[in-house]
Amino acid sequence: MSAGNDGEEIEVTNEPLVEAPADTVAGEVVLRLTDVVKTFPGVRALDGVQLEVRAGEVHCLLGQNGAGKSTLIKVLAGVHRPDSGEVVWRGEPAAFANPQAAMRAGIATIYQELDLVEDLSVAENAFLGHEPRRLGFVRRGHMARRTRQILARLGHPEIPPGRLVRHLPAAGKQIVSMARALSHEARLIIMDEPSAVLAHDEVGNLFRIIRELTAQGIAVIYISHRLEEIREIGDRVTVLKDGRTTAANLPARDTPTRDLVSRMTGRTIEYVFPDRPADDPAGAELLRVEGLTRHGEFADVSLDVRAGEIVGIAGLVGSGRSELLETIYGARRAQAGTVRMGGRTLRPGSVGAAVRAGMGMAPEERKSQALLLGEPIYRNVTLATFGRYARLGFTDAGRERAAADRIAASLELRPRDVRRPVRTLSGGNQQKVVVGRWLLGDTRLLLLDEPTRGVDVGARAELYQVIRELAARGVGVLLVSSEVPEVLGLADRVLVMREGRVVREAPAGELDENTVLDLVMAGSLMEGAPA
Amino acid sequence: MSDMTPTAAPERAADLPAQSPPVDPAETAKADAGARLSWWRGDGGEGAKRNLGLLATLVVLVVIGILTRPDLYGDASWVWGNTLTILKLASVVGVVTVGMTFVIIGGGIDLSVGAIVALAGVWCTTVATQSYGAGGMIFSALTVGLAVGVVNGLLISYGRLVPFIATLAMMVAARGLAAEISDKQTQVSNDSFINGIATVKLLGIPLLVYILAAVVAAGWVLLNRTTFGRRTVAVGGNPEAARLAGINVRRHTVLLYALSGLCCGIAAIMLTAQATSAQAAMANLYELDAIAAAIIGGTLLSGGRGTIIGSLLGVIIFSTITNLFAINGLSTEAQNMVKGGIIVAAVLVQQVQFRSLSQFLTRNRATTT
């Protein structure tokens, strides 16, 4: 009877739930979920979730993409109502009819894609929907004052309440989201991958804020794919797999990584990168960029990628790396400099020319830049190549589906039915669709912008494997990532960017994480220093 | 799903890591059945379900007709004749709506369609044009429609004007030009071939209905079976994703408005034939009828989704309402109020009822398999 689950039954982890070893956290239990089930047409998204959150703790939620984390958040936030099971909030059974009800009860959610209104001010966003008012008029002064208090409490008194949210950087927007949560007197704040939009140094600031919140007795549910973050900020961990709790209340600091990963995936995988081939694989020069410049973004960048080579660009958000990639691809027009593919100069500002020359790009923002969310998977996979399957302009859905099917099989896409809308896939699987798009056709150079953002450990390893195998077949790869270990582990050669300039270029083996981090941060230039 | 054998170039990168997981034969059978079921409705089951709702609306309207005028509906030959009247009534707006549907799915809007019909109609009935005979008249109507559409498209895609503004300006300008050319006079068409288009019947069915059927069929194929249609959905659904996938979004936008203009050219010939004349005020408010029909038919105003069949049903629903009022001897004023209500009701019904109905259906299917 139980449809769904998509036929995956590699059960290694049917061990009993691990209970909290000792009272590492003193607070009372504020939230308890027992056997929560939520089904959607054809999918059992939650299939018996247990969760216990105490006041003043940071409770981490771990799970692969598609494990049910997002659905669980939405149940807690009042977006979905569970089909069965019990949600006890502060001692009383709770069923939130809508997000407002959850907010009023004191549960605030900060989504990965921040839900702020860009053209309203900081204060208006913080109090959106419950503006303090008198006789129907918003008390703007009062609202600004309270916003200023909350921002001070968050350690950011420098953000002006009147500033438009549009003009804030990503980290500032996140602060505004948290201010909104505090404006509701939230007792539980759910953070869905809050660090994904932040640069390295901003994460430390986020953690400081979280510690201050928990010190005030506020509980935090923290979702992240980065294990090192969970170790640093988390108190306890609950692991989900296929909509079930496979482990509850593990101590965040001393549970071995291997244990966590095996409970998430049902198999033991390390956070590993595929081996580099023994001999130098790189072939003829594929891409040559010379003196590429866009004022205010990057200046005088020269680089080359050879066939079969993976070149990584390390740099912080705002170092110009994404803009550089988009300019090489023709999505932005360079003000100076040339891009040559296989010796031929590409027309600047023309994506079509780049694609015809054999380039493909997986952009930074999957949903807004790469996918037709309502369209079937196969149409997203063939978005750049459907013309090749067509005869005289007539598309051939059968051949497209067959091709997409092979891509889905080789990338282990879940679910595998390529006629499902892409909307129903988890982040990691959506990324596979975007990368898979360029495996069709004759892509010779693949530009990857943050290919593993929001992708879980298991799917990451798969993606790394795919990228390495592409290179082994002679495809050149230019990779941008804000995770230094990813660049160092995957690339053959690394360029380090800071403030729009390449400050170091070296084979990946000659650099280590600390060196790159030093280079990436301003003021500590160590050019030519031994690695 | 039948043609599983890959051919030549495009797939050569496809067979990546060699191990492909074993395929459950039952799964494959199910997928095949799904593919067979969905061949006629493109790939989205949602569109088909919406269209069933529109058909139900149409049935309700006919039942109202039967209840209010049982005397007329008792006569089989009257029913047949009335059906043809409704289709004939739908034919001109229907052709315009097909073009409009493409524009809206592509993320735009064309407010100038009525004005283009008028301009094309006036242009093809000037004394000078009529001297070239029926061929010259048809050629000029189609060319004028196409050209105005191209101008719209160029203004929007390369001039970066908002579609609403660009076509609003064109609406005013084209009507003005039509009035200028015709000197605000009604221009009578003296060409018997052109006038015959509105009166000739084949197998008892008016030629106008055949033209509508041909345009709808061509539009359906274009949207669901060609790269042009695929690009339209991509450009309307997520222009940035389309651009980064290498689709020339600007060029395609120009083509969409050109297509809409061409449809207006065809409609201009049909309308001129019906009236045996053309004037600057003809096809008044057709843009609203066409947009309303497309929206009722389930085309998303924000782009990326819509069906030709839905739009056709939308047009037919409107002309059935008009007919309903005519056979009951009611005023056009009351009719317009009802039309407005129908637009709101149809959209509401689609949003609430059919979403939950389709959820109900899919859930039942999911639990029974």
Side-chain angles (χ1 to χ4, degrees):
Chain A
M1 274 300 284
S2 77
N5 261 4
D6 290 297
E8 212 190 330
E9 296 288 350
I10 327 162
E11 287 295 14
V12 193
T13 51
N14 265 345
E15 297 152 47
L17 303 182
V18 181
E19 278 304 325
D23 256 8
T24 44
V25 192
E28 47 157 350
V29 173
V30 288
L31 176 74
R32 189 191 296 280
L33 267 65
T34 317
D35 293 329
V36 168
V37 173
K38 174 72 193 174
T39 53
F40 294 108
V43 183
R44 229 172 147 80
L46 296 183
D47 192 17
V49 167
Q50 334 288 337
L51 181 66
E52 179 199 279
V53 181
R54 290 166 187 244
E57 77 162 330
V58 177
H59 197 107
C60 298
L61 214 51
L62 262 180
Q64 294 215 68
N65 290 310
K69 294 185 307 264
S70 304
T71 313
L72 180 57
I73 296 172
K74 286 183 177 161
V75 165
L76 293 176
V79 178
H80 296 320
R81 306 181 71 168
D83 299 339
S84 66
E86 200 184 21
V87 178
V88 177
W89 170 240
R90 302 180 85 186
E92 285 175 26
F96 304 119
N98 52 48
Q100 288 75 25
M103 274 276 198
R104 272 197 301 275
I107 298 181
T109 309
I110 299 172
Y111 291 100
Q112 206 172 338
E113 278 97 22
L114 301 171
D115 48 352
L116 298 175
V117 184
E118 297 258 303
D119 286 308
L120 288 182
S121 72
V122 169
E124 284 163 334
N125 267 289
F127 283 90
L128 194 66
H130 67 125
E131 297 84 356
R133 68 202 110 170
R134 178 180 291 149
L135 301 171
F137 291 96
V138 175
R139 302 168 62 191
R140 302 181 61 86
H142 180 69
M143 193 163 82
R145 248 191 329 277
R146 280 188 56 195
T147 306
R148 205 170 288 121
Q149 282 166 7
I150 293 170
L151 289 171
R153 204 172 140 199
L154 289 170
H156 280 271
E158 82 285 359
I159 299 177
R163 167 84 44 93
L164 286 190
V165 163
R166 174 180 299 288
H167 297 141
L168 293 181
K173 290 178 184 171
Q174 202 165 54
I175 302 292
V176 177
S177 282
M178 275 186 252
R180 180 188 284 173
L182 292 185
S183 78
H184 280 277
E185 298 300 332
R187 304 302 304 163
L188 169 66
I189 300 181
I190 303 166
M191 300 184 183
D192 188 4
E193 291 204 50
S195 61
V197 294
L198 297 182
H200 190 81
D201 56 331
E202 294 163 345
V203 176
N205 193 31
L206 171 72
F207 285 178
R208 190 183 54 71
I209 293 171
I210 291 177
R211 287 198 190 97
E212 276 170 29
L213 292 174
T214 51
Q216 297 164 18
I218 293 171
V220 172
I221 294 181
Y222 189 92
I223 293 163
S224 174
H225 290 305
R226 301 177 187 170
L227 285 180
E228 64 272 27
E229 283 180 8
I230 287 172
R231 297 224 183 277
E232 192 181 338
I233 190 70
D235 293 309
R236 296 190 298 167
V237 178
T238 290
V239 185
L240 295 185
K241 176 180 179 277
D242 295 338
R244 269 174 237 205
T245 302
T246 53
N249 307 331
L250 300 170
R253 278 174 199 82
D254 8 280
T255 307
T257 303
R258 185 178 294 271
D259 280 11
L260 291 175
V261 171
S262 69
R263 285 174 199 286
M264 271 166 68
T265 59
R267 61 200 143 143
T268 317
I269 17 168
E270 294 282 300
Y271 189 76
V272 285
F273 298 98
D275 291 335
R276 293 193 181 84
D279 53 331
D280 183 14
E285 179 180 287
L286 200 57
L287 173 77
R288 173 160 286 280
V289 174
E290 269 168 5
L292 211 61
T293 300
R294 262 179 73 87
H295 301 310
E297 292 175 356
F298 54 87
D300 196 26
V301 173
S302 300
L303 60 90
D304 68 294
V305 179
R306 289 176 294 163
E309 188 185 30
I310 303 177
V311 175
I313 300 178
L316 297 178
V317 173
S319 64
R321 39 177 214 181
S322 297
E323 293 81 357
L324 172 66
L325 219 57
E326 289 186 9
T327 309
I328 293 173
Y329 191 56
R332 294 169 189 241
R333 189 188 286 265
Q335 277 145 353
T338 56
V339 176
R340 272 182 291 172
M341 270 291 278
R344 288 194 21 237
T345 305
L346 295 184
R347 190 149 58 90
S350 166
V351 174
V355 170
R356 276 191 298 279
M359 276 197 218
M361 181 164 87
E364 188 176 7
E365 303 286 340
R366 280 192 293 276
K367 286 182 184 172
S368 63
Q369 291 187 294
L371 292 170
L372 302 169
L373 290 169
E375 290 286 289
I377 292 168
Y378 82 89
R379 290 195 174 189
N380 276 282
V381 171
T382 59
L383 186 65
T385 45
F386 61 81
R388 293 160 182 266
Y389 298 100
R391 294 190 190 90
L392 301 172
F394 286 88
T395 52
D396 188 335
R399 279 176 69 202
E400 282 181 42
R401 272 199 293 266
D405 222 32
R406 268 195 309 284
I407 293 292
S410 67
L411 298 182
E412 291 184 38
L413 199 70
R414 283 176 296 268
R416 277 283 314 282
D417 183 357
V418 295
R419 282 172 296 130
R420 290 177 70 113
V422 153
R423 183 176 357 101
T424 62
L425 296 186
S426 60
N429 284 302
Q430 289 182 350
Q431 184 68 40
K432 288 183 190 174
V433 169
V434 177
V435 173
R437 172 181 302 163
W438 301 106
L439 305 187
L440 296 173
D442 11 66
T443 305
R444 295 190 292 152
L445 176 72
L446 197 55
L447 309 175
L448 301 173
D449 196 352
E450 298 279 7
T452 59
R453 168 180 290 183
V455 174
D456 67 74
V457 176
R460 263 175 197 225
E462 288 167 17
L463 274 168
Y464 295 149
Q465 192 67 35
V466 167
I467 294 167
R468 180 47 77 185
E469 287 183 35
L470 275 169
R473 285 190 291 123
V475 175
V477 176
L478 187 57
L479 165 88
V480 158
S481 174
S482 39
E483 289 184 44
V484 174
E486 183 168 284
V487 176
L488 291 178
L490 194 57
D492 300 311
R493 196 150 50 85
V494 174
L495 303 173
V496 182
M497 272 185 90
R498 191 185 69 222
E499 289 167 6
R501 284 176 188 278
V502 176
V503 293
R504 179 81 190 268
E505 178 178 348
E510 292 178 16
L511 295 167
D512 62 35
E513 192 173 348
N514 288 332
T515 317
V516 174
L517 281 175
D518 280 345
L519 284 170
V520 142
M521 315 267 186
S524 57
L525 188 64
M526 296 194 299
E527 214 136 7
Chain B
M1 293 294 283
S2 60
D3 182 15
M4 291 289 285
T5 48
T7 44
E11 285 91 349
R12 66 162 210 222
D15 27 25
L16 261 184
Q19 18 95 313
S20 68
V23 183
D24 178 6
E27 196 96 352
T28 326
K30 219 161 61 193
D32 278 351
R36 262 200 305 281
L37 270 178
S38 65
W39 71 267
W40 58 277
R41 59 186 186 204
D43 281 282
E46 290 173 45
K49 278 181 209 117
R50 242 195 317 273
N51 291 347
L52 284 181
L54 294 173
L55 275 178
T57 311
L58 208 49
V59 169
V60 169
L61 289 174
V62 172
V63 168
I64 293 174
I66 293 171
L67 292 178
T68 51
R69 294 303 301 268
D71 49 329
L72 292 177
Y73 273 91
D75 179 0
S77 67
W78 179 87
V79 171
W80 172 242
N82 193 49
T83 306
L84 292 180
T85 306
I86 290 172
L87 288 175
K88 214 170 145 180
L89 201 63
S91 62
V92 181
V93 177
V95 168
V96 173
T97 304
V98 169
M100 181 69 83
T101 305
F102 273 92
V103 170
I104 297 179
I105 294 176
I109 192 89
D110 190 348
L111 298 179
S112 64
V113 288
I116 300 178
V117 170
L119 180 61
V122 164
W123 201 301
C124 79
T125 50
T126 57
V127 177
T129 315
Q130 288 202 41
S131 68
Y132 289 98
M137 292 171 73
I138 291 173
F139 175 79
S140 68
L142 298 182
T143 309
V144 167
L146 194 67
V148 177
V150 168
V151 171
N152 273 336
L154 290 174
L155 286 173
I156 289 159
S157 64
Y158 293 95
R160 304 195 183 201
L161 288 180
V162 181
F164 188 94
I165 301 298
T167 58
L168 185 70
M170 183 57 79
M171 172 174 108
V172 178
R175 284 238 186 253
L177 183 56
E180 188 69 35
I181 291 172
S182 63
D183 202 15
K184 295 183 194 164
Q185 301 299 306
T186 299
Q187 297 179 165
V188 176
S189 160
N190 297 316
D191 192 285
S192 58
F193 181 87
I194 293 289
N195 297 346
I197 290 171
T199 51
V200 166
K201 288 187 175 188
L202 296 170
L203 305 171
I205 297 171
L207 182 61
L208 288 177
V209 177
Y210 284 104
I211 296 176
L212 173 65
V215 170
V216 165
W220 188 91
V221 170
L222 195 61
L223 183 62
N224 295 301
R225 289 289 179 270
T226 69
T227 53
F228 182 90
R230 192 68 71 78
R231 280 196 287 273
T232 304
V233 174
V235 165
N238 188 342
E240 179 69 0
R243 189 171 79 99
L244 292 180
I247 293 172
N248 192 332
V249 175
R250 288 184 176 181
R251 186 176 65 195
H252 194 75
T253 303
V254 176
L255 292 177
L256 284 173
Y257 287 92
L259 178 68
S260 175
L262 184 65
C263 287
C264 293
I266 298 171
I269 299 162
M270 296 163 76
L271 198 58
T272 302
Q274 269 184 323
T276 67
S277 69
Q279 47 156 326
M282 74 197 278
N284 195 26
L285 296 184
Y286 269 32
E287 52 279 354
L288 297 189
D289 287 346
I291 293 169
I295 299 305
I296 284 187
T299 301
L300 212 58
L301 201 51
S302 55
R305 201 181 73 197
T307 63
I308 297 292
I309 302 297
S311 294
L312 174 68
L313 289 171
V315 174
I316 292 177
I317 285 173
F318 271 145
S319 58
T320 307
I321 294 168
T322 307
N323 179 256
L324 204 55
F325 276 76
I327 61 179
N328 283 291
L330 295 170
S331 71
T332 39
E333 288 73 23
Q335 180 186 321
N336 287 338
M337 292 194 293
V338 169
K339 273 190 187 174
I342 286 268
I343 295 173
V344 174
V347 174
L348 281 181
V349 164
Q350 273 163 25
Q351 277 175 356
V352 186
Q353 285 262 292
F354 289 96
R355 187 189 301 152
S356 52
L357 176 70
S358 71
Q359 266 173 13
F360 173 79
L361 289 173
T362 44
R363 189 172 305 154
N364 271 17
R365 208 164 50 216
T367 46
T368 48
T369 45

